[in-house]
């Protein structure tokens, strides 16, 4: 299990254990964490699971694919550390990961 | 009794019903929630059934919207393998198939839609299947594979996704479509031709204009599809994908207003103040098109789940969204935004031969819908243009050397 901290836009923190193999998005949805809509269920088709990856974790979470990049290009309030959480696979190496949510997913 | 303490009964534990239950808790609902589902499983995602799940790339855990424990942990009384048989609006009760009766304060109908069966000979043979539920997908997965021949009746999105997955599993696949082109009801000719070529390159054969007259069988199992012209397409299994009909009978019998689905407003409220309807079963308003219709899509189910959870917990109604859906076949990502109502011009941006293009459907200078193949910027910006109703410069839109951001600027 990897401990992941999801921080809502208003500062509310949710710390949950996520099974390796799931995505960071699935970890949020399965634990009913607000702020990640994930309309498409992980098909990289909607950009409603946008998160900001904590600076300390950017390297470990890897980089975005071209498809993810071009979806993010049209999401709102995108920053250098923006990712689609459905494209980050949870592994033991991500134990302790911190992600923050944007104000809205639309 | 305040609304937050109300007993909410949800009929239907699909994507819409399951999401509504979870959102009610997320939005602070404290009253009892009962979630009644006809299937034995807790709410799960259907889209992967015809794709990742069929190909063995997803399992029951990853399909589930929430783990089973979630319902007990959040005090949601989940009742699997149970259907509602009658709604008594006067007494505000629902009678269930196991004989139980529930008294509700608020009732949410999320009964979905069912696959339309073909009323033809042999439709009850083993091996003639639909793809609607996890059980359907399980049966199909056990049937197709190398050396097997799969016949798909209906060249819509479900049929094409099943065809692609069937090929990935090594089966021979023939698609039988009554219309002269694929996706005739839902897409333009450019897309029909593109998909036909792409599937043919992957070994799928098509029989267009095929009038399916019956199914042939031996020892109770399907062996072929008989066409009206007398030909027989031999096969080991058939998937029928010719559309779905809303499960709105229980609502109609209870006297709720229905019109090809249960009629609701933008709060997902039916003609009865205490009853809501969401997802595939709802006939809902879509203000950007100034009309009402029924949508069969996950984003629609989620949007209406938000509407109903907001209405019951006293939150303001969520902002309207642009309807959209997606399909994955082979390495293609198809993203569709909007609906092509009252379209007077179709404009192709990009190159179908390169499998990277978008088809824009316009009414005057407004974008009504866009079908984007491997083109997320066109989809994402198209969605915004549809929602905002902003006019576009068609010459610039048709020119892929001008970025979508510049087109919309």
């Amino acid at each position: 299990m990897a401990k992941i901290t999801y921080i809502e836009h208003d500062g509310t923190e949710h710390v949950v254990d996520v099974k390796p193999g799931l995505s960071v998005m699935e970890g949020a949805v399965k634990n009913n964490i607000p702020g990640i809509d994930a309309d498409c269920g992980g098909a990289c088709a909607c950009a409603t699971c946008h998160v900001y990856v904590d600076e300390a974790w950017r390297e470990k979470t890897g980089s975005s694919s071209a498809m993810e990049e071009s979806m993010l290009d049209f999401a709102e309030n995108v920053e250098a550390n923006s990712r689609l959480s459905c494209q980050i696979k949870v592994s033991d190496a991500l134990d302790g990961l911190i992600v923050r949510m944007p104000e809205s997913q639309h | 009794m305040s609304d937050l303490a109300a007993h909410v009964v949800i009929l239907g534990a699909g994507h819409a019903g399951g999401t509504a239950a979870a959102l009610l808790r997320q939005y602070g609902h404290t009253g009892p929630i009962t979630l009644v589902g006809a299937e034995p499983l807790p709410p799960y995602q259907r889209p992967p059934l015809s794709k990742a799940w069929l190909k063995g790339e997803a399992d029951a855990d990853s399909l589930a919207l929430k783990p089973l424990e979630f319902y007990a942990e959040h005090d949601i009384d989940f009742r699997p393998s149970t259907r509602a048989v009658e709604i008594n609006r006067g007494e505000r009760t629902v009678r269930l198939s196991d004989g139980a009766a529930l008294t509700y304060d608020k009732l949410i109908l999320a009964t979905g839609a069912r696959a339309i069966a073909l009323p033809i000979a042999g439709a009850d043979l083993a091996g003639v299947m639909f793809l609607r539920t996890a059980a359907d997908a399980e049966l199909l997965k056990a049937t197709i594979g190398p050396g097997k021949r799969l016949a798909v009746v209906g060249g819509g999105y479900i049929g094409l996704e099943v065809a692609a997955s069937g090929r990935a599993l090594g089966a021979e696949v023939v698609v039988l479509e009554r219309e002269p082109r694929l996706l005739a009801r839902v897409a333009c000719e450019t897309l029909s031709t593109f998909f036909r070529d792409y599937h043919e390159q992957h070994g799928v054969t098509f029989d267009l204009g095929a009038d399916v007259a019956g199914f042939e069988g031996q020892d109770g199992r399907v062996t072929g599809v008989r066409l009206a012209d007398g030909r027989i397409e031999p096969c080991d299994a058939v998937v029928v994908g010719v559309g779905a009909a809303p499960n709105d009978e229980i609502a109609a019998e209870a006297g709720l207003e229905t019109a090809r689905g249960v009629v609701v407003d933008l709060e997902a409220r039916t003609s009865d103040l205490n009853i809501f309807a969401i997802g595939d079963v709802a006939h809902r308003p879509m203000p950007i098109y100034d009309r009402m219709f029924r949508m069969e899509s996950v984003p629609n189910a989620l949007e209406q789940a938000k509407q109903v959870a907001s209405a019951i917990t006293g939150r303001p109604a969520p902002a309207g969204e642009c309807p959209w859906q997606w399909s994955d076949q082979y390495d293609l990502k198809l993203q569709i935004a909007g609906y092509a109502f009252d379209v007077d011009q179709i404009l192709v941006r990009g190159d179908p031969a390169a499998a990277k293009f978008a088809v824009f459907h316009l009414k005057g200078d407004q974008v009504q819908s866009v079908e984007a193949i491997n083109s997320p910027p066109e989809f994402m910006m198209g969605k915004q243009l549809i929602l905002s109703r902003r006019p576009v410069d068609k010459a610039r839109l048709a020119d892929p050397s001008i970025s979508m951001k510049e087109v919309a600027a």
Side-chain angles (χ1 to χ4, degrees):
Chain A
M1 287 290 180
K3 210 170 268 310
I4 299 184
T5 304
Y6 298 84
I7 305 175
E8 289 184 61
H9 192 259
D10 67 5
T12 311
E13 283 192 20
H14 305 264
V15 184
V16 293
D17 287 322
V18 181
K19 200 166 83 176
L22 293 181
S23 68
V24 173
M25 175 279 284
E26 288 172 310
V29 171
K30 287 184 194 298
N31 289 289
N32 212 23
I33 293 171
I36 291 185
D37 290 356
D39 286 359
C40 80
C44 195
C46 70
T48 61
C49 65
H50 176 197
V51 295
Y52 305 113
V53 175
D54 186 82
E55 285 303 324
W57 292 90
R58 279 182 68 184
E59 209 164 294
K60 283 198 175 135
T61 48
S63 51
S64 340
S65 68
M67 190 67 83
E68 182 185 342
E69 207 56 52
S70 65
M71 294 292 294
L72 275 172
D73 216 17
F74 290 86
E76 274 171 45
N77 304 315
V78 171
E79 305 285 346
N81 60 341
S82 286
R83 291 291 309 272
L84 293 182
S85 55
C86 70
Q87 302 299 304
I88 306 174
K89 216 19 141 217
V90 175
S91 66
D92 292 331
L94 293 188
D95 186 24
L97 174 68
I98 299 167
V99 295
R100 292 177 174 78
M101 268 85 89
E103 186 167 8
S104 124
Q105 292 288 355
H106 293 282
Chain B
M1 182 187 279
S2 88
D3 274 357
L4 284 181
H7 181 198
V8 181
V9 172
I10 305 172
L11 303 182
H15 219 127
T19 304
L23 282 180
L24 280 166
R25 285 289 180 248
Q26 210 180 87
Y27 292 177
H29 189 78
T30 52
I33 298 174
T34 309
L35 178 62
V36 180
E39 292 179 59
L41 298 173
Y44 58 88
Q45 308 180 63
R46 279 174 219 280
L49 292 178
S50 55
K51 311 172 196 96
W53 198 88
L54 202 54
K55 291 188 279 180
E57 295 162 5
D59 57 20
D61 272 358
S62 64
L63 280 192
L65 288 184
K66 311 282 182 201
L68 184 59
E69 313 83 76
F70 172 86
Y71 301 94
E73 281 166 10
H74 289 81
D75 199 17
I76 293 166
D77 177 11
F78 171 50
R79 305 200 183 185
S81 305
T82 308
R83 290 171 184 277
V85 292
E86 192 188 17
I87 301 166
N88 184 326
R89 289 165 54 199
E91 293 175 5
R92 289 217 301 244
T93 55
V94 178
R95 195 157 51 80
L96 304 181
S97 55
D98 61 6
L102 299 170
T103 302
Y104 64 83
D105 298 305
K106 304 288 173 194
L107 181 65
I108 303 173
L109 306 176
T111 47
R114 61 183 173 273
I116 294 173
L118 294 172
I120 55 177
D124 55 350
L125 287 165
V128 176
M129 297 175 270
F130 300 104
L131 186 47
R132 189 86 201 161
T133 63
D136 293 340
E138 185 77 49
L139 196 59
L140 178 59
K141 192 155 83 169
T143 311
I144 54 173
K148 299 287 185 184
R149 190 161 197 263
L150 171 69
V152 177
V153 179
Y157 285 117
I158 283 282
L160 293 180
E161 287 173 3
V162 169
S165 299
R167 288 301 296 148
L169 289 168
E172 261 187 75
V173 180
V174 58
V175 175
L176 308 162
E177 167 58 51
R178 191 175 55 183
E179 300 293 326
R181 65 180 179 94
L182 300 175
L183 303 167
R185 285 182 307 120
V186 293
C188 67
E189 193 120 28
T190 306
L191 218 65
S192 300
T193 307
F194 170 78
F195 274 110
R196 182 180 175 176
D197 291 348
Y198 210 85
H199 278 269
E200 282 178 345
Q201 286 164 24
H202 286 78
V204 175
T205 54
F206 290 98
D207 199 337
L208 302 179
D211 196 356
V212 173
F215 299 108
E216 301 286 310
Q218 205 178 348
D219 303 329
R221 205 177 161 79
V222 71
T223 56
V225 182
R226 184 161 39 83
L227 302 174
D229 61 11
R231 281 182 300 137
I232 290 178
E233 287 279 3
C235 63
D236 302 290
V238 177
V239 173
V240 177
V242 296
N247 295 318
D248 62 358
E249 290 81 358
I250 195 171
E253 283 160 14
L256 296 174
E257 189 188 345
T258 58
R260 285 165 294 160
V262 184
V263 174
V264 297
D265 64 13
L266 282 172
E267 288 192 312
R269 208 182 289 267
T270 68
S271 52
D272 181 323
L273 281 179
N274 295 311
I275 304 180
F276 300 79
I278 59 175
D280 287 6
V281 77
H283 187 78
R284 57 164 288 188
M286 181 40 75
I288 53 176
Y289 297 115
D290 196 22
R291 69 176 75 200
M292 299 193 55
F293 56 107
R294 194 171 69 81
M295 291 180 221
E296 291 170 12
S297 74
V298 169
N300 176 61
L302 299 181
E303 183 181 9
Q304 288 194 296
K306 281 180 218 162
Q307 290 172 352
V308 72
S310 299
I312 290 176
T313 57
R315 287 190 166 209
E321 295 175 15
C322 172
W324 72 278
Q325 49 206 308
W326 78 95
S327 176
D328 288 329
Q329 297 160 38
Y330 311 108
D331 53 348
L332 300 174
K333 177 173 296 299
L334 168 67
Q335 295 164 297
I336 304 168
Y339 286 83
F341 291 122
D342 309 323
V343 164
D344 51 40
Q345 191 182 352
I346 289 172
L347 194 151
V348 179
R349 177 181 160 95
D351 183 10
K356 187 175 168 58
F357 67 104
V359 183
F360 285 88
H361 299 255
L362 296 138
K363 176 184 173 188
D365 53 10
Q366 283 179 335
V367 178
Q368 295 290 84
S369 79
V370 57
E371 295 148 325
I373 301 277
N374 295 333
S375 300
E378 280 70 11
F379 166 72
M380 295 292 279
M381 193 49 90
K383 236 169 121 177
Q384 292 175 22
L385 287 169
I386 292 164
L387 199 56
S388 71
R389 316 310 291 149
R390 272 164 53 205
V392 287
D393 181 328
K394 290 189 254 188
R396 287 165 68 82
L397 186 60
D399 182 352
S401 73
I402 301 173
S403 80
M404 280 306 292
K405 281 193 173 165
E406 289 175 85
V407 170

